[in-house]
Amino acid sequence: MTTRGALRELLSLREFRAMWIGSTVSTAGDQLAAVALSLLVFERTQSAAWTALTWSLTLFPPLISGPLLGWVADRFPRRTVMVTTAWMQAVLMGVMAIPGMPLWAMIVLLVVVLAISSPYLAAQEASLPNVLPPKRYDDGVALFGTSVDTAQMAGLAAAGFLVAQTTPAVALVINALTFVLLAVLVQTSVQHRPAADPLGRKKKDDEPRGVLTLMVSEPRLRTLLGVRLLAGLAMVPEGLAVPLAASLDAVWAVGLILAIEPAANVLGVALLFRLVRDPAKREKLIGPLAILSLAPLVLFAFNPNLTWTIVLLVFAGIGGAYHTPARAAWMRLLPDQYRGRAYGIGRAALRSSQGGGMALAGVVAHSVGSVTATIAGAGGIGLLLATHATFAWRRARGRSGTKAVAI
């Protein structure tokens, strides 16, 4: 992902190291808990519908809590927010692991755990520009992103084995302990900083009325958010992984199709940061890489076999590396007092585009009767939008440069 020198420098920073270790470990623990709870639901209900519903619940709470609770990361000291929410999650996960806990209560607790993760993540993301030196900010964001992808894959891979050898309650306890570790690391290693936008702060006359106004009115912020929302089209092959594999007479390849995107994305970020060291040059590649993330999908119109399907998805996944410099540039441009709220809104919008894109793709594939045509259509629409966003981003950068938005 980054050079050895950059990696050593990042890990020598106590604050960043603590946040990175805690976040990576807790992410893996979250995957253990999600699989464990799904298996527990299936054991008690023997219902595939209830099991699928439980899994889907892991996606929805952040869509609501992100915009509603992101302000917490701006109104209160961010270390306090991270430590408090981590302890709350540890306690709630521990309660879920109590033997005999009613299933409905466990599901409610899970929803609460996922909801309060939003202010934690907002505080963490908003803290990174203050924790990292400017020259290493992009490297730190890249390390965070690739580590989360890797932790998710590792957590899911280990979950089935762990639960099979022990019990779902053990996985829940392990996840609770990861939150304890996270809280302790942040409390002991991250510097206390005053709230970025404390309650009662008087706003300046020329300050935008709200963070949403700022995100929509500032050309660079608007364009970066728009190009990231193209993930809703790029994720269509994952949403159709099962019927796609069935159409290739390779149902066994479902897991492979699902794993390609995160694995190729990690590879793409590694190549991008190794070959292009200058953050400004990486920002120039946001548009072309966004195009690359969608252009291969158009070739599904030719009904590729399994080998070519994998090749196309690998190239598309590598192109998805543009999210890392786009994420870094977006947060760097935001004024500090808006970062928590902006992150909550942006994350909810990104999740909505991904979930909505996959759901809509399923409806379209059922209507037209062709999985590959649906993927090709998503790629074609995305290619047009990505091309437009590329020129819009070039114009916005040319007019405004790369400095943070002045407030």
Side-chain angles (χ1 to χ4, degrees):
M1 184 273 306
T2 57
T3 63
R4 289 184 179 180
L7 183 60
R8 281 195 300 268
E9 184 175 345
L10 287 172
L11 297 184
S12 69
L13 301 171
R14 184 179 179 184
E15 291 184 276
F16 176 82
R17 184 174 65 245
M19 293 168 63
W20 172 68
I21 293 173
S23 177
T24 303
V25 172
S26 66
T27 296
D30 287 344
Q31 308 312 305
L32 292 177
V35 172
L37 187 59
S38 296
L39 291 174
L40 190 59
V41 170
F42 186 73
E43 287 178 3
R44 294 191 184 182
T45 66
Q46 295 298 306
S47 169
W50 277 107
T51 304
L53 177 61
T54 301
W55 185 268
S56 68
L57 283 175
T58 64
L59 304 176
F60 290 111
L63 301 183
I64 300 173
S65 62
L68 291 181
L69 298 179
W71 60 270
V72 174
D74 294 330
R75 299 289 196 235
F76 300 97
R78 286 164 181 158
R79 187 186 71 172
T80 302
V81 173
M82 289 188 282
V83 172
T84 302
T85 52
W87 277 116
M88 291 173 64
Q89 289 174 301
V91 171
L92 293 173
M93 290 302 302
V95 172
M96 288 174 63
I98 295 175
M101 178 66 59
L103 196 56
W104 66 265
M106 297 181 71
I107 293 175
V108 170
L109 290 171
L110 174 65
V111 170
V112 176
V113 167
L114 294 170
I116 61 178
S117 69
S118 292
Y120 176 88
L121 292 172
Q124 174 181 266
E125 189 78 7
S127 296
L128 286 179
N130 298 320
V131 166
L132 292 166
K135 70 174 183 177
R136 290 301 179 208
Y137 175 64
D138 289 61
D139 293 312
V141 170
L143 181 57
F144 250 91
T146 54
S147 297
V148 165
D149 284 340
T150 304
Q152 288 176 335
M153 290 186 287
L156 289 172
F161 174 79
L162 176 66
V163 175
Q165 297 299 316
T166 57
T167 64
V170 172
L172 296 176
V173 170
I174 291 175
N175 194 32
L177 293 175
T178 66
F179 286 121
V180 172
L181 174 64
L182 179 59
V184 172
L185 284 173
V186 173
Q187 178 67 49
T188 58
S189 300
V190 176
Q191 178 183 336
H192 174 81
R193 295 177 176 86
D197 187 20
L199 293 171
R201 185 180 70 87
K202 293 183 179 180
K203 297 186 179 298
K204 301 175 183 178
D205 293 337
D206 61 345
E207 186 172 315
R209 288 174 294 177
V211 64
L212 190 58
T213 302
L214 174 64
M215 291 165 57
V216 173
S217 62
E218 211 288 324
R220 292 169 295 171
L221 294 175
R222 182 177 63 244
T223 304
L224 285 171
L225 181 59
V227 76
R228 293 205 67 195
L229 295 184
L230 292 175
L233 294 167
M235 295 285 286
V236 164
E238 288 192 51
L240 299 176
V242 174
L244 176 59
S247 70
L248 296 169
D249 294 323
V251 178
W252 58 269
V254 171
L256 176 61
I257 292 173
L258 290 172
I260 286 174
E261 192 275 335
N265 184 259
V266 170
L267 174 61
V269 173
L271 291 173
L272 177 62
F273 275 72
R274 185 164 293 276
L275 297 176
V276 184
R277 303 292 176 83
D278 184 0
K281 291 181 179 179
R282 288 195 294 264
E283 286 187 10
K284 292 181 180 179
L285 292 175
I286 289 174
L289 287 173
I291 291 174
L292 177 60
S293 74
L294 290 153
L297 303 188
V298 178
L299 298 180
F300 275 85
F302 298 101
N303 296 308
N305 59 25
L306 180 60
T307 300
W308 279 107
T309 293
I310 293 172
V311 171
L312 292 175
L313 292 180
V314 167
F315 276 102
I318 290 173
Y322 80 87
H323 284 282
T324 297
R327 169 185 168 187
W330 194 66
M331 191 60 66
R332 184 166 47 239
L333 286 168
L334 283 163
D336 188 35
Q337 66 267 30
Y338 284 98
R339 285 172 180 160
R341 283 163 288 175
Y343 176 80
I345 294 172
R347 182 169 180 254
L350 183 59
R351 288 290 187 93
S352 298
S353 73
Q354 292 171 331
M358 289 189 285
L360 181 60
V363 173
V364 173
H366 178 75
S367 300
V368 304
S370 172
V371 174
T372 53
T374 301
I375 295 175
I381 295 171
L383 183 58
L384 292 174
L385 294 174
T387 301
H388 172 74
T390 298
F391 288 106
W393 174 235
R394 183 177 299 174
R395 288 194 301 270
R397 290 186 78 248
R399 287 197 300 264
S400 306
T402 57
K403 295 181 180 180
V405 180
I407 294 295

